[in-house]
C-alpha cells in the first residue's frame, strides 16, 4: 500500500495524528513503569519450612517428604524440587505455562495445612511466596552509629523504621540484616553448676515456672469490677536473678548464685560492615508490579521521616542504589537517538543540499521512538533494559530490478529500481543497493548514486529524481 499519496492528500490529518502520537508518548512515559527487567510471570512458587535443630536427613524424612507427597495433587504442577539443609527446607513448585497462579497458590496453602498434620509437634507454618524475577533488591537502607551497639540498631530498625518502611507502596519490607534479635541472655558459670551438682535443665524449668504469662482478670470489689493484672512477669530483668533454683531444707540456690542475667542479643549469624564498622541494613526490595525508579525515589523521599524516629546518633542512609542502570539506559537511548538524528540529517544535507529533506530525517527518528513508546504502553509493556535495547532504526539493503535480473550485490528487493537504472549502474561499475528505514516505503526517500574510482575517492554523485533508491558501491576490478 502506498502511504505517500493518502498523506499528501490529507496533510492536516497526518499532522494531527503525529501530534496525538507525541502527546500520547509523553503520557505513556509518565505512567509506564521503568524497571530493570520486564515482567516475566514465571509460574513458580517457593515454600520455605524452618525447624530449628534438625539435621538435613531429619528435615528430609519428617517434613520435606510430606510436602512433596501432597504437592503432586496441585492442579497444573510440572515438577517439585526440594533442598534440605540444617534447620530449613526449601521446596520449589514449578507449574506449566498458562496455569492460574491464584488458584495454584490457594491449593498450595491448602495442601501445606494438610501436610503439617503428619509432621512433628511444634512445626511452625512455612513461608509461601510467589517467585518473580521482577521482584529484586534495588538498594539498602543502612543504619550506622559510632556509639550504639549492633543490637540497639537492630532493635531500632526492626521496631521503629520497618513499620513505616513497610507502608510505602510497591515495597517489600524484609527484616533487617547484620545484627541479632534482642534477647534476655542468662550466662551460667560451669564451675558453680558443678559445685551444686546442678543440671542446666533445672535452670530452664525454674525460669519457666517463675515467669508465667497469664492474662489479667477481673475482681468484684464492692460495686466495682476492675481489671486486676498479675505480677507473674518481671518488669526488670535483674529480678530474674532472684528466682530460686532449688528450695528445701538446704540453703536455697538462686539464679544469682550460679550466673547472671543480661539484656543482650541472640547468637550472631550474619554481619554487615560499613567503613569497617558493623552495621545493620534493610534490603529495599520492590514488588514485581512496581517501578524501580518510583520505589527508589519514594524511599529517598522518606529518609528524613525514618531518621526522625531513630535516636539522634543513628544515621539512616540509602546505599547501593540500582536505579542508575535504568536511568543510564534511558539517557543512553536519548543520546543515541539525538546523535543519530543529527548525523543522519547532516549526511542528507551534505549529499542532497536540501534543508527540507534534512529536517524530515531529523524529525523522523524522535517520532519513531515516540511511536515505539506509545506502542509499548498500549501493549502493557514496561520500559526496561530489554525494551530499550530493542528500539532503534536498522537499515535494509536491496538491489534486484523489476526485470528479475539482479544488480551487483545480490540482495532481494522490497523497493525495486528500474531495469534501465540497473543497466546504467552495471555500466558504471557500481554495486547498487536500496536503503530505507524499517517499516517505511522505498519511494519516500531521496535517491543518489555514488560513483567510486579504484583509489576509493569520491569522483561524483548524480541525483536521480525518478529512481527512488540510494546507490552505494565500489568500482569493478
Amino acid at each position: 500500500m502506498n502511504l505517500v499519496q493518502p498523506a499528501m492528500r490529507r496533510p492536516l490529518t497526518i499532522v494531527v495524528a503525529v501530534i496525538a502520537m507525541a502527546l500520547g508518548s509523553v503520557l505513556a512515559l509518565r505512567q509506564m513503569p521503568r524497571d530493570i527487567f520486564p515482567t516475566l510471570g514465571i509460574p513458580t512458587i517457593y515454600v520455605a519450612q524452618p525447624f530449628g535443630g534438625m539435621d538435613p536427613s531429619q528435615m528430609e524424612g519428617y517434613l520435606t517428604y510430606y510436602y512433596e507427597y501432597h504437592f503432586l495433587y496441585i492442579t497444573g504442577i510440572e515438577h517439585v524440587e526440594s533442598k534440605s539443609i540444617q534447620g530449613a527446607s526449601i521446596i520449589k513448585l514449578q507449574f506449566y505455562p498458562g496455569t492460574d497462579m491464584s488458584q495454584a497458590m490457594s491449593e498450595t496453602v491448602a495442601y501445606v495445612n494438610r501436610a503439617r498434620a503428619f509432621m512433628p509437634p511444634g512445626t511452625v507454618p512455612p513461608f509461601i511466596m510467589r517467585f518473580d524475577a521482577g521482584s529484586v533488591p534495588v538498594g539498602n537502607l543502612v543504619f550506622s552509629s559510632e556509639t550504639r551497639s549492633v543490637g540497639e540498631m537492630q532493635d531500632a530498625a526492626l521496631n521503629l523504621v520497618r513499620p513505616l518502611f513497610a507502608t510505602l507502596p510497591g515495597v517489600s519490607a524484609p527484616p533487617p540484616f547484620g545484627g541479632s534479635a534482642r534477647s534476655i541472655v542468662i550466662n551460667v558459670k560451669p564451675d558453680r553448676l558443678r559445685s551444686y551438682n546442678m543440671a542446666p535443665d533445672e535452670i530452664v524449668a525454674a525460669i519457666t515456672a517463675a515467669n508465667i504469662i497469664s492474662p489479667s482478670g477481673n475482681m468484684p470489689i464492692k460495686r466495682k469490677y476492675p481489671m486486676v493484672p498479675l505480677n507473674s512477669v518481671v518488669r526488670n530483668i535483674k529480678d530474674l536473678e532472684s528466682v530460686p533454683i532449688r528450695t528445701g531444707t538446704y540453703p536455697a540456690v538462686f539464679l544469682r548464685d550460679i550466673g547472671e542475667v543480661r539484656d543482650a542479643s541472640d547468637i550472631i549469624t550474619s554481619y554487615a560492615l560499613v567503613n569497617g564498622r558493623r552495621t545493620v541494613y534493610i534490603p529495599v526490595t520492590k514488588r514485581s508490579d512496581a517501578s524501580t525508579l518510583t520505589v527508589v525515589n519514594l524511599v529517598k523521599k522518606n529518609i528524613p521521616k525514618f531518621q526522625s524516629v531513630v535516636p539522634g546518633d543513628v544515621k539512616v542512609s540509602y546505599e547501593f542504589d540500582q536505579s542508575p542502570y535504568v536511568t543510564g539506559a534511558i539517557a543512553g537511548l536519548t543520546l543515541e537517538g539525538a546523535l543519530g538524528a543529527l548525523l543522519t540529517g547532516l549526511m542528507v544535507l551534505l549529499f542532497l543540499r536540501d534543508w527540507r529533506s534534512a529536517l524530515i530525517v531529523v524529525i523522523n527518528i524522535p517520532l519513531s521512538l515516540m511511536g515505539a513508546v506509545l506502542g509499548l504502553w498500549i501493549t502493557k509493556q514496561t520500559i526496561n533494559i530489554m525494551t530499550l535495547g530493542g528500539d532503534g532504526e536498522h537499515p535494509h539493503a536491496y538491489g534486484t530490478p523489476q526485470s528479475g535480473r539482479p544488480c551487483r550485490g545480490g540482495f532481494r528487493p522490497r523497493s525495486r529500481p528500474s531495469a534501465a537504472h540497473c543497466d546504467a549502474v552495471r555500466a558504471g561499475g557500481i554495486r547498487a543497493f536500496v536503503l530505507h528505514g524499517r517499516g517505511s516505503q522505498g519511494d519516500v526517500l531521496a535517491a543518489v548514486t555514488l560513483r567510486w574510482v579504484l583509489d576509493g575517492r569520491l569522483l561524483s554523485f548524480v541525483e536521480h529524481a525518478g529512481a527512488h533508491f540510494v546507490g552505494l558501491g565500489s568500482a569493478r576490478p
Side-chain angles (χ1 to χ4, degrees), residues 10 20 93 146 159 224 233 314 316 325 346 396 410 452 471 475:
R10 298 176 177 83
L93 308 181
E146 297 183 356
N159 298 314
K224 297 181 180 179
V233 178
V314 177
V316 183
Y325 292 105
L346 183 62
H396 302 277
W452 296 78

Side-chain angles (χ1 to χ4, degrees), residues 206-412:
I207 294 296
T208 303
N211 197 53
I212 300 175
I213 299 176
S214 178
S216 301
N218 297 84
M219 178 180 294
I221 302 176
K222 295 182 180 180
R223 295 184 177 181
K224 297 181 180 179
Y225 194 60
M227 290 186 297
V228 183
L230 303 178
N231 60 351
S232 59
V233 178
V234 297
R235 295 183 179 274
N236 186 2
I237 63 167
K238 285 298 182 180
D239 294 340
L240 290 175
E241 294 183 351
S242 301
V243 172
I245 307 300
R246 282 181 182 175
T247 59
T249 57
Y250 297 97
V253 180
F254 296 92
L255 183 58
R256 61 176 175 267
D257 298 329
I258 59 174
E260 62 177 351
V261 180
R262 294 189 302 110
D263 186 354
S265 301
D266 199 357
I267 299 175
I268 298 175
T269 57
S270 63
Y271 65 92
L273 297 177
V274 172
N275 297 328
R277 298 179 60 89
R278 287 197 60 190
T279 186
V280 175
Y281 70 95
I282 298 178
V284 180
T285 304
K286 76 172 194 67
R287 300 186 184 275
S288 58
D289 56 348
S291 171
T292 297
L293 296 185
T294 302
V295 169
V296 170
N297 294 333
L298 191 61
V299 172
K300 291 180 179 179
K301 182 180 178 182
N302 284 270
I303 286 182
K305 185 178 179 181
F306 302 150
Q307 187 70 61
S308 64
V309 298
V310 299
D313 54 352
V314 177
K315 180 183 177 182
V316 183
S317 60
Y318 184 76
E319 306 294 342
F320 302 102
D321 187 4
Q322 301 297 311
S323 60
Y325 292 105
V326 182
T327 56
I330 296 176
L333 178 64
T334 304
L335 177 62
E336 295 296 335
L339 289 177
L342 179 62
L343 295 178
T344 306
L346 183 62
M347 293 301 295
V348 172
L349 181 63
L350 177 64
F351 286 110
L352 297 185
R353 310 292 177 88
D354 187 359
W355 286 96
R356 294 180 60 184
S357 301
L359 181 62
I360 291 174
V361 172
V362 171
I363 295 177
N364 180 62
I365 294 179
L367 287 179
S368 63
L369 293 178
M370 291 181 180
V373 171
L374 184 61
L376 290 175
W377 183 47
I378 293 175
T379 56
K380 302 185 183 301
Q381 301 295 323
T382 62
I383 297 178
N384 52 73
I385 293 179
M386 295 184 181
T387 54
L388 291 179
D391 284 336
E393 292 292 329
H394 307 280
H396 302 277
Y398 311 99
T400 302
Q402 293 179 353
S403 62
R405 295 181 290 112
C407 297
R408 296 190 63 182
F411 292 92
R412 294 194 57 82

Side-chain angles (χ1 to χ4, degrees), residues 418-457:
S418 63
H421 188 272
C422 283
D423 293 336
V425 168
R426 292 192 189 91
I430 304 173
R431 298 185 180 184
F433 304 98
V434 177
L435 301 178
H436 64 77
R438 180 177 55 190
S440 60
Q441 297 292 323
D443 53 1
V444 300
L445 296 179
V448 293
T449 300
L450 304 181
R451 185 183 303 272
W452 296 78
V453 294
L454 289 176
D455 59 359
R457 293 181 301 171

Side-chain angles (χ1 to χ4, degrees), residues 22-106:
L23 296 177
S25 63
V26 173
L27 179 63
L29 285 174
R30 295 177 61 90
Q31 295 186 359
M32 287 178 64
R34 285 163 285 184
D35 210 339
I36 300 176
F37 299 108
T39 303
L40 301 178
I42 301 176
T44 304
I45 295 178
Y46 280 91
V47 179
Q49 175 65 63
F51 201 110
M54 283 195 176
D55 58 42
S57 61
Q58 290 176 324
M59 293 295 301
E60 174 69 26
Y62 297 147
L63 302 175
T64 307
Y65 166 76
Y66 294 106
Y67 281 134
E68 292 177 344
Y69 174 80
H70 286 88
F71 287 159
L72 296 177
Y73 292 100
I74 300 177
T75 304
I77 190 73
E78 181 182 359
H79 68 270
V80 179
E81 301 177 12
S82 64
K83 183 175 183 180
S84 298
I85 59 176
Q86 184 177 5
S89 177
I90 307 296
I91 299 98
K92 175 184 176 182
L93 308 181
Q94 185 69 40
F95 295 86
Y96 287 103
T99 302
D100 186 355
M101 295 308 296
S102 299
Q103 179 182 354
M105 178 65 76
S106 61

